[in-house]
Structure formats: structure tokens, C-alpha cells
Amino acid sequence: MKLNLILTILLFSSAALFAQEPAKVQPKQTDKTAKTDVKKEVCDSQITARQALDGLIAWDAKLKTLQADFIQQTDFEGTPISSSQGTIYKQNNNIRLDTFEEGTLAQSAVTDKKIIKIKDGKGSLITSLPWDQWREGQTNKALFDFGNYGKVVKEHKLKSFDCDGQFYKLVLVPLKEGPESYELSFKLLAKDFFIEEISLENQGVRTKTTLKNVKKNIKFKESIFK
């Protein structure tokens, strides 16, 4: 199914990488009076991995709705395999994912995490099935989701953390190494710790998802999720 890879890695969570109570972190405040064309904020080398994760997790409480364009690219040892783009809408358990081909809507998937409906570009239903059944049939339990970073995922540990220009870069790996071992990477915006890019690398196959034109906590029409 075309949606197998779309946003596969967005559900992974990282809240439980540290057992201690989360430290309170206040993202850097930007000058609201500054012009929009000022130089973008760069990361602070004094920020720790723990603080960056806490900043990311804080969005779990604040993020009520999300609309974002995405580009997803998959390669094998540097050789491109596939590329897709689209738009994701999320409001609580309601999720809509539109994928485009050459600027034209090719397919949509809508779910309330009870039933998932997959439609063609003209809105005609292709298939409808229980969410759990669809989920079990996906490669690597693929889901298109976003957030839920406050939930505990005990199977990951921190491999590396870097301050790189406008981003904080976190690389996570499973606690238990094995044939299905992988690296999960996050690039967080320096200005507020929100995600710009997520990538998953497994046995030479790397899938990278980049978010653009992000709109947070805006109102949606209910018809979007129908």
C-alpha cells in the first residue's frame, strides 16, 4: 500500500530516555518586534540533550492541532529509492494525510484511530478497515501520527546529541541491539525545540521526513476529517 512508508517514524517517542523528573526548560524567546527577515536563531551549545528532549516533550501538552507539509525521501546506502510529498492534519486522534503526485492530490487517508479510510484523489473510497488491523499489517508497524512525546518508550537510548546551526540533533537507538536495530534521528529547531526533520535508518535504508509550512494550534473544519 502506498501509505506504508508515509510518516512511518513520526509516532516514535522519546520521553523515557531519562528516568529523572524533567527539568523545566524555557525555549529562547524571540523579539516579537523584530523584522521577519532577521537572521534565524542558532542553537545554544550550553543546551544539553536532556533539555532539548524536555523542550520537545513540552509540545505534547501544548499541541492541540497541527497542519504541515512534508517531503519524505527514502534511499539505500545513498541511492534514492522513493520520494513523496503531501500534507498532514492532526487534531487529537483525528488524522488526515494527503499525498500528491506532480502537484495533484493522489490519495488521502483519514482516521480517528478506530477506522481508517483510504480514498483516491477524487475522494472515492478505496478501502476502509479497523485501525488496529491496518496497523498490524504495516511494515515496522507503520503509522502516520505526530506527537505523543509524553508517552514512555523504554526501548530507546541516546546515542548522540549535537548543536548544529539552527538545529539540535538527537540520535536514538533501541536499548536491545539486534537484527532489527535502527537509528532514529530528530532535528529540532533551535528557536523552540519543534521538529523540523525525523529520519529512520535500518540496514542501509534511510527514510527522512522533513516538515515545512508548519501551523500549530489552528482551527480546522470538521469536514477535513470526514
Side-chain angles (χ1 to χ4, degrees):
M1 187 177 292
K2 184 182 295 186
L3 290 172
N4 283 4
L5 288 176
I6 300 298
L7 301 188
T8 296
I9 53 185
L10 292 186
L11 186 65
F12 283 91
S13 176
S14 46
L17 293 174
F18 306 93
Q20 302 93 336
E21 287 297 316
K24 294 183 179 179
V25 177
Q26 295 295 329
K28 292 182 179 180
Q29 300 296 317
T30 56
D31 183 1
K32 295 182 179 180
T33 63
K35 295 181 180 180
T36 57
D37 59 350
V38 296
K39 184 178 180 180
K40 293 183 178 180
E41 188 169 348
V42 297
C43 62
D44 182 350
S45 60
Q46 300 302 310
I47 293 291
T48 65
R50 170 62 185 275
Q51 290 174 315
L53 277 169
D54 285 342
L56 169 62
I57 293 168
W59 277 110
D60 193 36
K62 294 187 291 184
L63 192 64
K64 306 303 180 183
T65 68
L66 172 77
Q67 176 181 331
D69 298 331
F70 69 86
I71 298 175
Q72 186 170 84
Q73 299 167 308
T74 300
D75 64 73
F76 176 69
E77 296 183 349
T79 300
I81 296 175
S82 65
S83 179
S84 59
Q85 58 184 353
T87 302
I88 184 172
Y89 305 86
K90 187 175 188 293
Q91 180 174 287
N92 301 320
N93 283 339
N94 294 313
I95 306 168
R96 177 189 177 103
L97 183 73
D98 293 338
T99 55
F100 296 85
E101 292 180 356
E102 298 180 353
T104 301
L105 181 63
Q107 194 174 84
S108 297
V110 181
T111 186
D112 57 2
K113 291 191 177 179
K114 296 178 181 179
I115 299 294
I116 182 170
K117 299 177 180 179
I118 299 176
K119 305 177 181 181
D120 64 19
K122 296 181 179 180
S124 297
L125 185 65
I126 298 174
T127 186
S128 176
L129 64 161
W131 167 263
D132 289 339
Q133 180 182 335
W134 179 83
R135 175 183 175 182
E136 287 301 315
Q138 302 308 297
T139 303
N140 297 323
K141 300 295 184 294
L143 299 174
F144 56 98
D145 203 346
F146 193 92
N148 302 320
Y149 298 107
K151 290 185 177 181
V152 174
V153 176
K154 297 180 178 180
E155 292 80 13
H156 295 87
K157 60 184 176 181
L158 184 68
K159 179 179 181 180
S160 66
F161 172 70
D162 294 298
C163 171
D164 183 10
Q166 298 168 23
F167 306 100
Y168 297 106
K169 297 177 65 176
L170 293 147
V171 179
L172 316 177
V173 294
L175 286 174
K176 297 181 179 179
E177 300 291 338
E180 298 301 321
S181 183
Y182 56 84
E183 288 190 357
L184 178 64
S185 303
F186 293 86
K187 286 178 66 174
L188 310 181
L189 288 168
K191 65 179 181 179
D192 61 1
F193 302 114
F194 200 78
I195 289 176
E196 168 85 3
E197 181 181 296
I198 311 174
S199 66
L200 179 68
E201 186 169 352
N202 184 8
Q203 298 181 340
V205 178
R206 179 172 180 260
T207 300
K208 179 179 70 174
T209 304
T210 304
L211 298 179
K212 300 292 184 181
N213 303 319
V214 176
K215 298 179 182 179
K216 302 183 286 284
N217 296 333
I218 62 174
K219 291 184 177 180
F220 291 137
K221 294 181 179 180
E222 292 298 325
S223 57
I224 290 179
F225 302 106
K226 301 297 184 181

